[in-house]
Amino acid sequence: MFSSRTKAGTKPQGSQRPEDERLPAVQNIGFGLQHVLTMYGGIIAPPLIIGTAAGLGEAEIGVLIASCLFVGGLATILQTVGVPFFGSQLPLVQGVSFAGVATMISILEGGGSISTVFGAVIAASVIGLVITPIFSRIIRFFPPVVAGTVITTIGLTLMPVAAGWTMGGNASSPSYGSVQNLGLAGITLVLVVIFSKIGVAAISRLSILLAMIGGTIIAAVTGMADFSKVLEGPIFAFPKPFAFGPPDFQAAAILSMVIVILVTLTETSADIIAVGAIVGTKTDAKRVGDGLRADMVSSAISPLFNSFTQSAFAQNVGLVAITGVKSRFVVTAGGGILVVLGLLPVLGRFVAAIPTPVLGGAGIVLFGTVAASGIRTLSTVEYEGNMNLVIVAAALGFGMFPIVAPNIYDQFPSWFVTIFHSGISSSAIMAIVLNLLFNHLKIRGNKPRSVMAEASSRRISSAMLGELQEGDYVQDGKLFDAKSKHVPSAD
């Protein structure tokens, strides 16, 4: 199937998609582990928060965490390998979505149990699966002006996550924001830069993983990492189906969870578009639909194994961008590692012992790379004689509101908060609506123009202006002095 090999692995031929590249098994595992470490903190946080809100004990919360790792691994394998009608076949890591955490807590605070949450997830996900064809057709409304804005917003939205990790992860800890935590994150960041600069491809591509290993070693030597509890608890445990009892289906809980599913569909669509742009592959309506169906069927089945709604992890999109490893099979290996972590809680406890400042140091580069990829996409957009600049400005600003002011929508109805509390969905909705209004809704005799776009995009450096002398003039693209003598360019 593949005819040429390089140090990085087997390159696909020109007729093959970039994401179909196959790497040696060792590199697959290494890059896959890198993906797992990048999203590990994010995938264990929701079950920890929801389990605590449900009043579960430590052992029960441990069951939730192991179950979420197991299901996230299976969902990742489905998304990357793909079967007919299910799976985008893109390097997307799946895991428990943060979008539903607030709603699940509301269900619990409203008198529901963890079984009520599971019932709402099952029913809402089935509804999401039914309406997926509608969402899959919005791909034509994601031109570069929309896709670039959403990708940029994804990166900026993740920055608070990196900041929280850098400070220590637990805001109630006395060491939160300490010089030691920031220093450890800074060292990890420096290691990422150093390993990225090394000319050996195998090292530069594994820069994030190697930096995390180096940061963890330093943390262990300085007493900032504690691995003493790794061996506490079972070594092997298969997730028990319906460990918390059969699901409880309540109409109000289901309705509130449907809104979460709509947000999840929006965010996953954005992530599919984003990773497709980064990989440089075609993402049409069919591919988006296959990815969304994988999302929904994984979410519908996950409560069977005590897990919650599944969605693509935006932080791993940044890892694809910074490493340049576009192979979906690398992420498949990461999904396999997640499954193993779900079956071997001891390994999960080991990975969980990695200090969050180490994750934060790596996250700065990862999430910044996502934003930079979006900016690069926006640089290809035509801004002259249209309203594209207004679309980008308004969508970015609207998407940043819930990030810079998390309580901005506290006085709004809960359904509104669920949708717009996410900077990604806020930005995506605004960009899509404005793009429809200005670029698709045609009014005869009306060509909308932005005053902001009227300014000339041409720029002359101050250094160049300083070199000009009295009497200089330009003719036929060449510079001449006052005596009509040609002034050669510095090039």
Side-chain angles (χ1 to χ4, degrees), residues 22-389:
R22 292 183 180 272
L23 305 178
V26 174
Q27 290 190 28
N28 260 346
I29 295 174
F31 292 136
L33 178 59
Q34 195 167 234
H35 273 285
V36 170
L37 293 177
T38 300
M39 55 84 71
Y40 193 85
I43 197 173
I44 67 173
L48 181 61
I49 296 170
I50 297 168
T52 301
L56 303 181
E58 290 186 7
E60 293 174 312
I61 292 176
V63 171
L64 282 183
I65 292 175
S67 299
C68 289
L69 292 171
F70 179 75
V71 174
L74 294 178
T76 299
I77 294 172
L78 175 62
Q79 187 72 267
T80 54
V81 175
V83 296
F85 306 109
F86 296 94
S88 65
Q89 295 188 338
L90 286 168
L92 285 169
V93 177
Q94 301 288 118
V96 178
S97 172
F98 254 105
V101 171
T103 299
M104 294 177 194
I105 292 176
S106 297
I107 292 173
L108 294 170
E109 292 177 347
S113 65
I114 193 71
S115 296
T116 308
V117 171
F118 289 145
V121 170
I122 293 173
S125 299
V126 171
I127 294 173
L129 184 61
V130 173
I131 66 174
T132 289
I134 299 175
F135 267 82
S136 65
R137 288 181 173 83
I138 69 173
I139 182 70
R140 66 190 185 94
F141 300 124
F142 271 83
V145 67
V146 175
T149 300
V150 173
I151 296 170
T152 302
T153 304
I154 289 174
L156 297 178
T157 299
L158 291 169
M159 277 303 169
V161 177
W165 287 348
T166 298
M167 297 176 73
N170 184 6
S172 61
S173 173
S175 62
Y176 187 73
S178 66
V179 175
Q180 290 82 359
N181 284 343
L182 296 178
L184 180 58
I187 291 173
T188 305
L189 173 60
V190 170
L191 290 175
V192 172
V193 174
I194 292 175
F195 287 128
S196 298
K197 180 64 177 176
I198 294 176
V200 181
I203 294 178
S204 61
R205 282 184 158 191
L206 285 171
S207 59
I208 300 296
L209 175 60
L210 296 176
M212 286 183 178
I213 293 174
T216 302
I217 292 174
I218 293 173
V221 172
T222 57
M224 296 181 65
D226 182 13
F227 294 94
S228 61
K229 296 183 179 180
V230 169
L231 296 179
E232 294 182 5
I235 303 298
F236 176 87
F238 188 87
K240 179 183 177 182
F242 296 127
F244 299 91
D248 177 22
F249 298 96
Q250 295 185 12
I254 293 171
L255 288 176
S256 62
M257 193 59 63
V258 166
I259 298 175
V260 173
I261 290 299
L262 294 175
V263 174
T264 300
L265 288 170
T266 302
E267 291 189 340
T268 299
S269 296
D271 287 334
I272 292 174
I273 299 298
V275 79
I278 291 171
V279 169
T281 190
K282 182 180 179 181
T283 50
D284 54 15
K286 179 182 182 302
R287 202 166 197 185
V288 173
D290 290 347
L292 295 180
R293 277 189 288 272
D295 239 20
M296 291 299 98
V297 74
S298 298
S299 297
I301 295 175
S302 63
L304 171 66
F305 293 103
N306 319 299
S307 187
F308 310 98
T309 52
Q310 303 291 308
S311 70
F313 267 54
Q315 51 261 52
N316 291 83
V317 175
L319 188 58
V320 174
I322 191 174
T323 62
V325 180
K326 304 174 181 180
S327 172
R328 58 190 171 100
F329 302 109
V330 162
V331 179
T332 303
I337 293 173
L338 285 173
V339 171
V340 172
L341 289 175
L343 296 175
L344 298 175
V346 62
L347 296 181
R349 292 191 294 270
F350 179 82
V351 176
I354 296 177
T356 50
V358 172
L359 300 176
I364 294 172
V365 180
L366 288 174
F367 305 158
T369 303
V370 178
S373 297
I375 294 172
R376 182 172 58 187
T377 300
L378 289 175
S379 69
T380 67
V381 176
E382 175 60 50
Y383 295 100
E384 296 297 325
N386 54 49
M387 297 289 286
N388 283 340
L389 191 61

